[in-house]
């Protein structure tokens, strides 16, 4: 029902909605100036919502008014203003000119939380600033000042890396440096194509900035990026950095290595150095955390295609960190044919590969002398590498030949004296056996570890000595000379690398031209061009291949190459070669017409070449996604792709699958089109479609997050669910991380795909017996909801009964059915019994008739299973309640052998509630039917009459002491109204006859009197049971107080004859409550008047009581008078 709104409030709401947004913003800003922190924040958030999301045109009008709150004393208000400025810049980049100077000022704030919020904001706005500057055609003074402020902010962030003591501030500064590096460096073509950094790739990069930009200088930005990555690498070797900051740096360097492969080797070397030289101040838990993160990030680097250049270092490092050789081999990426060819034909270092990647064509290659002095090419050739890594490499090369078995043995023996007496816990937890001991790779790794230790020690010693000792001028001169020699060697190496890159690039162009010409020739034949033209073109191409690479380059690219880039000598050579080359002949007119035969024009193509051409064509179409989107032909492109792949098959299916799985969210529509096309065109009985669907689902499993609903969407949108696809969904349910996603997928399939309901329901029912607790509980919860559907209830109930009947076997036979290869017979455990009971007990609360089946099964189960069943039925029985007709019928018609089950059910029902009259009636009938087994009456004692309880009391006290104590507890709790352990102190005010509650069967007074009135004549065992029962009563001192005992003794004294145990109770009462002495003497006097000596046992107690009470003389006088 809708909530009633008064007319006055409704009118006021309509007026507010009708008010212009500008007026509402003004009113909110005025209110914010008057209110305290919480109300002020509420007003500012409303202003942000109205301006940013409702009417962005108001930004210019109210930007200054909102920024004015940056002077507020509350840190929360200042953080809110920073958030407003960030959103404003995202909505209107023109606001950067106002916001950036404010952020520069806020960087000096002393509040740590404000500083962290500013760093987060700057991290977001820096990319926007670069994109904004790129789109501007003219720059005003305001824009220039804004850029200068942004450069000052970058310098301040670098200063915070050293000066700040706050871990959170340093963490945000490190993340900003990561963004700066990615924004101010060039992308790598191969990494972009392979989607290495999928989801984290920064769109903006140094490639987007033109060289002619008057404000953004490429050289300066590249230099800043070099300083930033050098700073991060320097911090990894710092001994004072916190573990949290170190973990952040590891993640940032990993992202840089993935997205900028030019730094891949440097990052791997830095990780290797870090593993060997962790800060000694770290605790064992900190060391474990850092190495765990290092282990994960190095493994992610191994999965990258560019990891083949330093695979040995990564594999050895992962082995030290705990990975096995099988895991490393499994995660090592497979190299493509082009990568293998490139790797096999190049014996150079990784610098040559990086240089070739950075130069797209021969035309853009500058001459060798210019390339040496060009800072960009130098930066592209050699990524930043700290001096310490070079020293480690040099020292490792010297150590490795010395690592002979004798030398290593001597080192070990020398170090034994320095080992601790006990193995440290941290070493024991992190130690892993060396799998490749003695191999060349392990020797190199060991040499690097020793070199890093020696280098770090010598570096610290040299730093200390440099601080206390002046530098020698002669040494400075020698160092300068060495630096000059090193620079000269670098220039020569760069020149050689450039020349080699030129030659290889030219060879590749010639090879590509030949392949392209073959394809064009085949097309020309099909179009009817004369064969002489084709033969002459092929002849000229063959001749060009025999010429030097420079001649080939001139002939193949003369139509597109700018002659201004060639030297005069090159122009002369090309002109001479053109003159020597035979002129291209024009096609002659045919003298006679030959009959056309298609066979004369066909060219034989090998199967491998045909497959290569098909794959290359498909890849070109796949990577033309953005171009097709611009021209509005995405649907046509998708249809062409799926038609080609479905008709041709082969390797094309794997290529399309890899393309889709690489970014499933983006290529989801293409995946669905492929599935429907395969389903419609499959003529193999569904095998091709099944392979397509299962391959996509397997790929989604490896790439998507464990709870990404895109997997469920893919399954639901598929035209048909095959058994193999359903097995993949079930495998999700068997994985603890993906169980929730798998179960929700099965639930949606049952609800939305009627054709697959039976198969999916059967799979869901199997999950209800899963050994994963979360999956089993969730599956049972789902089938309980489906049980209300008539079309599903029969199958669900049949499965539940079948699973509970497994308990009738002596051994868990369902395990043997699940694993036929298992020859061993397992024993019943609590876990196995839970698996069989789970689905059944989940349905009992909805179908009470199933309780009969449980009772029947219980009678035939082994003793171990029975004990476990009694533990597991508490919650289902409570859900049934005492009013369930089926439960009452089970109590009335208890199967033979299910008595303990019925007793457990009765105890559960009456534990915290009074039994109903109907339940008491059924239990009475069961009591009479089963030979008056008094155990059935214990749960319903509170529902019996006082007379009935007194009659069965002799039978009750013959039970075990624990059971008798439980009986008394039930009686006492009925008088208190709550459990005896909850409010036991209330019993101090209980007196005989004062309990008028209808739930109180026997008062404590009545119970003790009833115990004395039990006829024990001739039955010594019963007498002992009564004595034990009275002792239990006296043990309850908070219930049987002095007043209660006085009432009991008084009522027993008035009986005739006096109970046999009366005097024993008097003596016990006197021992518990010494203040009853006068009352006891009065009792003794009354006993004399009753001629106590006529009852021998009572008389013995009387005499003993006189001795205890020391009142024999007075009593003798009374006896004499009597």
């Amino acid at each position: 029902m809708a909530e009633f709104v008064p007319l006055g409030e409704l009118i006021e709401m309509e007026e507010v909605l009708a008010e212009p947004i500008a007026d509402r913003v003004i009113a909110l800003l005025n209110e914010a100036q008057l209110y305290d922190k919480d109300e002020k924040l509420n007003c500012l958030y409303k202003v942000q919502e109205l301006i940013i999301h409702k009417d962005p045109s108001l930004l210019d009008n109210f930007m200054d008014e909102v920024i004015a709150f940056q002077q507020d004393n509350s840190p929360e208000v200042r953080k809110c203003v920073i958030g407003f400025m960030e959103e404003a810049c995202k909505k209107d980049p023109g606001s950067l000119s106002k916001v950036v100077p404010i952020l520069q000022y806020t960087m000096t704030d002393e509040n740590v939380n404000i500083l962290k919020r500013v760093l987060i904001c700057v991290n977001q706005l820096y990319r926007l600033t670069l994109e904004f500057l790129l789109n501007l055609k003219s720059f005003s003074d305001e824009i220039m000042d804004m850029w200068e402020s942004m450069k000052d902010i970058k310098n301040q962030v670098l200063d915070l890396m050293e000066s700040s003591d706050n871990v959170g501030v340093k963490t945000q500064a490190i993340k900003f440096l990561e963004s700066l590096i990615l924004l101010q460096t060039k992308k790598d073509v191969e990494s972009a194509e392979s989607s290495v950094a999928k989801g984290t790739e920064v769109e903006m990069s140094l490639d987007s900035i033109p060289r002619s930009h008057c404000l953004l200088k490429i050289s300066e930005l590249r230099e800043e990026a070099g300083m930033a990555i050098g700073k991060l690498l320097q911090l990894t070797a710092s001994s004072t950095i916190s573990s949290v900051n170190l973990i952040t740096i590891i993640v940032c360097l990993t992202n840089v290595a993935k997205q900028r492969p030019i730094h891949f080797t440097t990052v791997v070397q830095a990780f290797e150095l870090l593993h060997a030289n962790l800060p000694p101040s770290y605790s064992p838990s900190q060391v474990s955390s850092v190495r765990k993160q290092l282990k994960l990030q190095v493994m992610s680097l191994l999965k990258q295609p560019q990891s083949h250049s330093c695979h040995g270092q990564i594999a050895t490092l992962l082995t030290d960190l705990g990975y096995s050789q099988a895991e490393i081999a499994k995660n090592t990426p497979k190299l493509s044919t082009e990568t293998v060819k490139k790797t096999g034909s190049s014996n150079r270092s990784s610098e040559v590969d990086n240089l070739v990647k950075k130069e797209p064509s021969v035309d853009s290659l500058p001459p060798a002398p210019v390339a040496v002095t060009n800072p960009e090419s130098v930066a592209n050739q050699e990524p930043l590498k700290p001096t310490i890594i070079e020293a480690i490499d040099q020292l490792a090369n010297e150590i490795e030949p010395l690592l002979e078995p004798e030398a290593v043995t001597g080192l070990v023996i020398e170090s034994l004296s320095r080992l601790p007496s006990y193995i440290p816990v941290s070493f024991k937890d992190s130690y892993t056996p060396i799998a490749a001991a003695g191999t060349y790779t392990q020797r190199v790794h060991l040499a690097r570890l020793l070199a890093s230790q020696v280098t770090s020690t010598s570096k610290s010693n040299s730093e200390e000595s440099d601080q206390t000792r002046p530098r020698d001028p002669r040494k400075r001169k020698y160092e300068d000379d060495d630096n000059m020699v090193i620079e000269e060697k670098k220039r020569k190496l760069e020149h050689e690398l450039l020349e080699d890159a030129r030659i290889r690039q030219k060879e590749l162009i010639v090879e590509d031209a030949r392949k392209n010409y073959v394809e064009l020739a085949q097309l020309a034949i099909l179009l009817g061009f004369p064969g002489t033209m084709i033969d002459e073109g092929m002849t000229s191409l063959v001749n060009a291949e025999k010429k030097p690479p420079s001649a080939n380059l001139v002939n193949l690219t003369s139509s597109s190459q700018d002659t201004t880039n060639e030297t005069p000598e090159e122009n002369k050579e090309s002109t001479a070669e053109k003159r020597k080359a035979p002129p291209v002949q024009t096609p002659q007119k045919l003298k006679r017409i030959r009959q056309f035969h298609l066979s004369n024009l066909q060219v034989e193509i090998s199967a491998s070449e045909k497959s290569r051409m098909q794959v290359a064509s498909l890849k070109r179409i796949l990577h033309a996604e953005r171009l097709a989107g611009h021209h509005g032909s995405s649907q046509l492109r998708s249809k062409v792709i799926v038609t080609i792949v479905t008709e041709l098959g082969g390797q094309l299916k794997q290529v399309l699958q890899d393309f889709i799985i690489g970014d499933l969210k983006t290529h989801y529509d293409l995946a669905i089109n492929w599935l429907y096309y395969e389903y419609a065109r499959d003529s193999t009985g569904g095998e091709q479609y099944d392979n397509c669907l299962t391959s996509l689902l397997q790929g989604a499993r490896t790439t998507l997050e464990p709870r990404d609903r895109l997997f469920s969407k893919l399954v639901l949108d598929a035209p048909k669910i095959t058994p193999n696809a359903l097995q993949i969904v079930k495998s999700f349910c068997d994985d603890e991380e993906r169980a929730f996603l798998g179960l929700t997928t099965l639930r949606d399939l049952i609800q939305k795909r009627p054709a697959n309901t039976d198969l999916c329901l059967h799979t869901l029912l199997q999950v209800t017996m899963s050994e994963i607790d979360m999956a089993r509980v969730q599956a049972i919860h789902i089938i309980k909801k489906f049980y209300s559907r008539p079309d599903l209830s029969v199958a669900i109930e049949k499965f539940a009964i079948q699973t509970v009947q497994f308990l009738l076997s002596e051994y868990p036979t369902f395990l043997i059915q699940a694993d036929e290869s298992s020859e061993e017979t397992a024993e019943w455990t609590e876990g196995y019994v839970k698996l069989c009971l789970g689905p059944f007990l989940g349905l009992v609360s909805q179908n009470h008739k199933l309780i009969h089946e449980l009772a029947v099964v219980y009678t035939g189960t082994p003793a171990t299973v029975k004990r476990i069943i009694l533990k597991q039925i508490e919650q289902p029985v409570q859900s049934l309640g005492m009013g369930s007709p089926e439960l009452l019928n089970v109590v009335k018609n208890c199967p033979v052998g299910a008595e303990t089950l019925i007793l457990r059910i009765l105890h559960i029902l009456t534990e915290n509630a009074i039994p109903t009259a109907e339940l008491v009636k059924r239990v009475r009938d069961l009591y009479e039917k089963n030979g008056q087994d008094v155990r059935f009456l214990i749960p319903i004692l509170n529902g019996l009459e006082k007379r009935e309880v007194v009659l069965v009391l002799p039978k009750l006290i013959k039970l075990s002491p624990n059971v008798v104590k439980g009986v008394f507890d039930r009686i006492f709790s009925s008088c208190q109204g709550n459990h005896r352990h909850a409010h036991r102190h209330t019993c101090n005010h209980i007196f005989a006859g004062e309990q008028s509650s209808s739930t109180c069967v026997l008062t404590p007074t009545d119970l003790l009197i009833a115990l004395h009135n039990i006829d024990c004549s001739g039955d010594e065992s019963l007498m002992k049971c009564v004595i034990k029962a009275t002792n239990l009563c006296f043990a309850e001192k908070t219930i049987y107080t002095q007043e209660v005992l006085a009432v009991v003794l008084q009522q027993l004294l008035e009986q005739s004859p006096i109970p046999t145990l009366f005097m024993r109770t008097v003596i016990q009462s006197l021992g518990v409550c010494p203040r009853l002495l006068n009352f006891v003497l009065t009792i003794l006097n009354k006993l004399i008047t009753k001629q106590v000596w006529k009852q021998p046992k009572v008389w013995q107690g009387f005499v003993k009581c006189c001795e205890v009470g020391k009142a024999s003389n007075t009593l003798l006088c009374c006896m004499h008078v009597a």
Side-chain angles (χ1 to χ4, degrees), residues 815-836:
L815 294 178
I816 301 176
Q817 295 176 4
D819 186 6
E820 298 179 354
S821 61
S822 178
E823 299 180 356
E824 299 181 0
T825 57
E827 298 291 339
W828 281 110
T829 62
E830 185 173 356
Y832 293 153
V833 176
K834 281 184 178 180
L835 296 182
C836 297

Side-chain angles (χ1 to χ4, degrees), residues 45 69 86 285 290 302 343 412 496 549 605 824 835 929 984 989:
Y45 283 131
F69 285 94
E86 179 181 345
S285 62
V290 172
L302 177 64
T343 306
V412 173
E496 293 177 0
I605 304 176
E824 299 181 0
L835 296 182
K929 181 180 178 181
R984 178 174 285 185
H989 305 288

